[in-house]
Amino acid sequence: MKHIKIFENFDKQEDQFDIENVMLYMVNVLDNYKVNFFDVDNEMVNSNDQNISDFHLTKDYHSIRRSRFVIEIMQDNSKQLNIHDIAEISIEMSTTIKHLEREGWTLVDYHLNQSKDRATGKVVFYYIHYTFAKPDQEIETTKSLQDTIPTNILLRTFKKEGIEINKQDIRYLDDSIEIEDWYTENLSSNEVDDALDKITDLLGATEWEFYHGTNGIRFQF
């Protein structure tokens, strides 16, 4: 098996569960396909990366502990998946899902990226996403929101998702952060919604909403 070296030094306590445990549950998929993993902060690693130990399944935010990760499966060398690959992956991953369920993880989203080949009319497949999560846990904190999520983190997070905000427009409240003005040059309204959903996750907020029409954005914690 190509990935047997990953597990040669596999010696963890029973209560330690990390990405190597996940990989142990899907060795056959790892041996036959290219697999990427996205952690709770949406940082990507490949199964062959040396920094696989830096992958975080769980992270403490301001007032919640969030657990989530994504498995992305595709063909190597930029090839497309065929219908036989999809069937094989589905069978293998059904076992992986059962193992993860026993560890408290739930499959919360599944996405098969596909399109139709204009020349042949056939459906072609590019990759599959499996998203796993645990329910958020409330945690106690004595820190303020500004201590936990300083302005430089907010500015960087918004910019990364294609939305610009200014420092003077950020307002911290006891259990929420308000952005009094924002702008974007390239995102459509639907893409803005998707970006704000992602920012909500990255900040560890529970929800977001517009106020003053769509001029302001409020994140609830």
Side-chain angles (χ1 to χ4, degrees):
M1 285 185 268
K2 290 191 300 182
H3 289 84
I4 194 67
K5 289 184 178 180
I6 294 173
F7 313 115
E8 285 179 349
N9 299 316
F10 193 81
D11 183 21
K12 293 181 170 62
Q13 301 296 322
E14 288 187 6
D15 61 346
Q16 290 181 311
F17 186 87
D18 59 22
I19 192 60
E20 290 183 347
N21 295 83
V22 177
M23 294 169 68
L24 188 61
Y25 292 149
M26 52 182 299
V27 172
N28 289 339
V29 176
L30 291 170
D31 281 346
N32 293 294
Y33 299 93
K34 180 179 178 181
V35 181
N36 297 318
F37 300 93
F38 296 83
D39 71 4
V40 68
D41 280 330
N42 206 40
E43 297 294 332
M44 188 193 82
V45 296
N46 182 268
S47 57
N48 296 312
D49 286 349
Q50 295 298 314
N51 64 337
I52 196 77
S53 59
D54 296 332
F55 191 94
H56 299 291
L57 298 175
T58 299
K59 181 177 179 179
D60 287 351
Y61 292 89
H62 176 66
S63 58
I64 62 170
R65 177 170 294 135
R66 178 160 291 160
S67 301
R68 188 176 64 184
F69 68 94
V70 177
I71 300 172
E72 179 183 72
I73 304 170
M74 63 183 71
Q75 271 288 11
D76 214 347
N77 302 320
S78 301
K79 294 179 181 178
Q80 297 165 352
L81 295 166
N82 60 46
I83 191 64
H84 305 293
D85 294 326
I86 302 301
E88 180 180 65
I89 291 168
S90 297
I91 292 170
E92 292 291 341
M93 286 300 294
S94 66
T95 302
T96 303
I97 292 167
K98 289 178 183 177
H99 284 302
L100 290 172
E101 285 176 344
R102 287 198 291 266
E103 299 288 349
W105 294 91
T106 300
L107 178 66
V108 296
D109 193 34
Y110 170 89
H111 175 67
L112 174 60
N113 185 274
Q114 65 185 61
S115 66
K116 183 174 287 189
D117 188 303
R118 292 183 179 180
T120 65
K122 292 183 178 180
V123 176
V124 293
F125 308 97
Y126 299 103
Y127 61 81
I128 309 173
H129 275 183
Y130 293 85
T131 303
F132 295 89
K134 292 182 178 181
D136 288 346
Q137 294 178 280
E138 290 188 11
I139 57 176
E140 294 185 4
T141 180
T142 58
K143 293 183 178 180
S144 68
L145 271 173
Q146 189 164 4
D147 289 336
T148 309
I149 311 170
T151 54
N152 64 312
I153 296 294
L154 280 173
L155 293 170
R156 185 166 66 244
T157 302
F158 269 82
K159 187 171 184 177
K160 184 179 179 181
E161 300 308 322
I163 299 175
E164 298 288 340
I165 60 174
N166 295 314
K167 186 175 181 179
Q168 65 268 22
D169 293 322
I170 299 172
R171 185 182 176 203
Y172 291 92
L173 303 175
D174 289 341
D175 57 1
S176 63
I177 297 176
E178 294 183 348
I179 311 298
E180 296 183 347
D181 197 13
W182 60 278
Y183 60 96
T184 180
E185 294 182 355
N186 302 314
L187 300 183
S188 67
S189 58
N190 287 337
E191 289 171 332
V192 167
D193 287 352
D194 290 341
L196 292 175
D197 286 342
K198 190 173 179 180
I199 291 169
T200 300
D201 288 339
L202 293 173
L203 297 180
T206 56
E207 62 181 353
W208 68 269
E209 62 180 354
F210 288 124
Y211 67 96
H212 293 161
T214 57
N215 292 331
I217 307 167
R218 181 183 296 111
F219 295 91
Q220 198 70 37
F221 293 85

